[in-house]
Amino acid sequence: MEASSLNTFSWVLMSVVIVITGIRAEAATAPSSSYDDESSSRRNLLANGLASTPPMGWNSWNHFNCMIDEKIIKETADALVSTGLASMGYKYVNIDDCWAEISRDEKGALVPKNSTFPSGIKALADYVHTKGLKLGIYSDAGFYTCSKKMPGSLGHEEQDAKTFALWGIDYLKYDNCNNGGLRPTLRYPVMTRALMKAGRPIFFSLCEWGDMHPALWGYTVGNSWRTANDISDTWDSMVSRADQNEVYADFARPGGWNDPDMLEVGNGGMTKDEYIAHFSIWAISKAPLLIGCDVRNITKDTMEIIANKEVIAVNQDKLGVQAKKVRMEGDWEVWAGPLSHYRVAVLLLNRGSWPTSITAHWDDIGIPSDTSVIARDLWEHKSLETRFVGNLTATVDSHACKMYVLKPIS
C-alpha cells in the first residue's frame, strides 16, 4: 500500500474508532438503571462534587489571545490575591489556547511550549495552588485546537485526562474546532469518561458553542456548556449572547450551568454602564463569572464592577435558579429569578438609545400581588426607603440597568 493510501486508511480507521468510542461513552453517560463497573455507575460528572454554584475566576483568551506565558499566569494569580478578588470567589486561573507545542512527545503526550512555559504546567499548577487558587487549562474535542497551534485531544482523551490530573489541573475548557465532522454528542462524552477515570476532580467546561443545543444534554456530560458562539467586546455581541443563553434557563441548576462565554468587562470596548449591564446579566443568569481583562493592570471602574459583592451573591446564591426575561416591551426588559430565603432578584434593562421608565410587576416575577417588599439596589448599595407593593418602577438610562433584590416583609 502506498504511503498516501496508508495515511488515508489510518485516518479513516482512527475516526471510526473515535465514533465507536463516542457511542459507548454517550450510552454510558445517559441515564440507566445499572452498570457493570464503578466508573460507569457514576453516570455523569456531578460525581466530581464541583459546580454547586457557577465557577468564578479568570481566563486568558479575551485579552491575551495566544500571547500568553507562565509569567503572565503567575502575575495574574498574584493579582487576583492582592486585589482581593480571590477572596470574593475568583479562584480559577485558566490558560486558554496556544500553551502547548504543535507536536506531542514520543509517547503521545502533550508538551508545554518550551518558549513560553519552560517550567512546565505542573510547576505552574503548584505555584497557583500555593496562592489558594486553582489552575485551568484548555484543549479541544478535535484533532487540533482552534488556533491550529497545538494538538487537540480527539483520540487522546484518556492520555490527556491522566496528564492533566498528574499536573494538578482543576478545570478543563474543551473547545470544538477541527473535529472531523463528528457530532459533539459523540466526542464530548469520551472526555467525560476519561476525566472520571483520571483520579482528580476536574471542572469540565464544554465549549461547544451551542451548535447542537448542549443545554439539552450537557448536564450528564459536563459542569457547564457554552450556549452561543464567542463573545466580542461590544454591546451588540454581549446582549445577543445573553439572549441565546436565556432561552435555556430551565436547564441550568447546581452542578451544571449555561455559559454565554467569558466576561469582557475592562477590555475597553463598552461604556461603564454597558459593562455594569454585562456583569449584571451574567450574574442574574447564573453564568460562570470568568474575568477576561488584564487584572494585573485593573482600573478602578473595572474593579468596582467585578468586585460588587452584592451582585456576586446573586450569581452564587445556593438556590441556583437562572433568571428569565419575564416581560419585554420595545427596547426594555425585566429579568427576574428566585433566590434563597424567599427573595427575588430583578434586573431592569434598557437596550434602547434613550432613558426610559421600566416597571417590574409582582405577577410577572412571582410575588403575590399584595405583598410588601424591601428593595435593595445592588449598584447603589442601599435599601430604598419606599416599601413597594404590586410593582416597582425606575428610570433606566440608555444601555444601562437597575438591579434589585426584593425581600418580602408582609
Side-chain angles (χ1 to χ4, degrees):
M1 186 179 290
E2 294 181 0
S4 60
S5 298
L6 181 60
N7 288 340
T8 301
F9 176 76
S10 299
W11 185 269
V12 171
L13 180 60
M14 181 180 181
S15 298
V16 171
V17 170
I18 290 167
V19 170
I20 293 171
T21 305
I23 291 170
R24 289 175 177 170
E26 189 173 25
T29 55
S32 182
S33 58
S34 63
Y35 295 102
D36 293 334
D37 60 84
E38 181 181 354
S39 64
S40 291
S41 69
R42 297 166 58 194
R43 293 188 298 273
N44 55 57
L45 277 183
L46 297 183
N48 65 16
L50 303 176
S52 60
T53 59
M56 296 175 60
W58 173 88
N59 180 283
S60 62
W61 186 257
N62 283 359
H63 186 84
F64 293 98
N65 296 120
C66 276
M67 305 301 292
I68 53 169
D69 56 38
E70 63 184 42
K71 180 174 181 288
I72 290 173
I73 303 304
K74 286 183 177 180
E75 290 176 352
T76 296
D78 294 342
L80 288 174
V81 174
S82 65
T83 57
L85 289 168
S87 65
M88 297 175 197
Y90 293 99
K91 297 292 187 182
Y92 288 105
V93 182
N94 293 346
I95 308 167
D96 212 282
D97 203 350
C98 309
W99 61 268
E101 300 284 3
I102 188 63
S103 298
R104 293 172 177 268
D105 68 15
E106 65 279 1
K107 295 182 179 179
L110 291 166
V111 180
K113 196 171 183 180
N114 187 59
S115 61
T116 51
F117 293 90
S119 302
I121 302 300
K122 186 179 188 306
L124 189 55
D126 290 344
Y127 181 87
V128 169
H129 291 157
T130 65
K131 300 290 180 177
L133 302 172
K134 299 176 182 295
L135 188 69
I137 209 160
Y138 168 97
S139 189
D140 190 291
F143 300 107
Y144 291 95
T145 63
C146 294
S147 70
K148 295 186 178 179
K149 294 183 178 181
M150 59 173 278
S153 292
L154 191 60
H156 293 267
E157 290 88 353
E158 288 204 12
Q159 183 176 24
D160 290 354
K162 289 177 182 177
T163 297
F164 298 150
L166 180 65
W167 286 345
I169 294 300
D170 304 292
Y171 184 114
L172 173 62
K173 176 183 174 181
Y174 205 46
D175 221 331
N176 196 30
C177 291
N178 306 303
N179 54 53
L182 302 174
R183 296 199 313 273
T185 49
L186 297 180
R187 289 178 284 111
Y188 280 84
V190 183
M191 182 57 84
T192 301
R193 292 292 304 279
L195 292 172
M196 288 167 65
K197 295 190 287 186
R200 179 181 180 83
I202 297 177
F203 185 106
F204 192 24
S205 170
L206 315 181
C207 187
E208 188 264 11
W209 320 326
D211 279 2
M212 288 190 68
H213 307 290
L216 306 182
W217 50 268
Y219 193 74
T220 60
V221 179
N223 298 115
S224 68
W225 43 86
R226 279 277 295 278
T227 51
N229 216 320
D230 290 0
I231 193 172
S232 58
D233 191 13
T234 68
W235 171 260
D236 287 343
S237 175
M238 183 275 289
V239 294
S240 71
R241 300 313 182 263
D243 290 342
Q244 290 172 280
N245 189 70
E246 189 266 346
V247 171
Y248 299 107
D250 289 338
F251 296 95
R253 55 198 186 276
W257 306 101
N258 291 316
D259 177 10
D261 205 3
M262 300 164 290
L263 294 165
E264 290 283 6
V265 181
N267 281 327
M270 289 185 255
T271 67
K272 183 178 180 181
D273 278 349
E274 289 173 337
Y275 279 140
I276 287 173
H278 178 15
F279 192 72
S280 299
I281 295 169
W282 262 235
I284 203 169
S285 298
K286 301 297 187 290
L289 297 182
L290 297 176
I291 302 166
C293 67
D294 185 357
V295 295
R296 304 171 307 167
N297 300 292
I298 201 162
T299 66
K300 180 181 177 181
D301 280 350
T302 299
M303 190 68 182
E304 180 184 324
I305 296 169
I306 63 176
N308 186 325
K309 294 181 180 180
E310 295 190 75
V311 176
I312 291 171
V314 170
N315 179 261
Q316 297 290 297
D317 185 75
K318 299 299 183 182
L319 194 61
V321 177
Q322 180 175 328
K324 300 179 183 179
K325 299 179 189 181
V326 296
R327 182 173 291 206
M328 297 175 285
E329 291 189 19
D331 290 323
W332 64 258
E333 300 170 351
V334 177
W335 297 55
L339 301 173
S340 56
H341 307 297
Y342 306 103
R343 299 168 302 147
V344 177
V346 175
L347 181 72
L348 310 182
L349 178 66
N350 180 8
R351 299 169 67 146
S353 301
W354 308 100
T356 190
S357 178
I358 304 177
T359 299
H361 297 274
W362 280 197
D363 56 359
D364 287 333
I365 63 180
I367 297 176
S369 59
D370 59 349
T371 302
S372 177
V373 307
I374 296 173
R376 177 74 178 179
D377 187 319
L378 303 191
W379 288 104
E380 295 294 332
H381 301 291
K382 65 181 182 182
S383 297
L384 305 185
E385 293 184 5
T386 303
R387 297 299 181 258
F388 297 89
V389 179
N391 63 75
L392 179 154
T393 299
T395 299
V396 183
D397 289 336
S398 168
H399 288 197
C401 72
K402 295 280 189 180
M403 190 172 183
Y404 306 95
V405 168
L406 307 184
K407 181 180 179 180
I409 55 174
S410 66

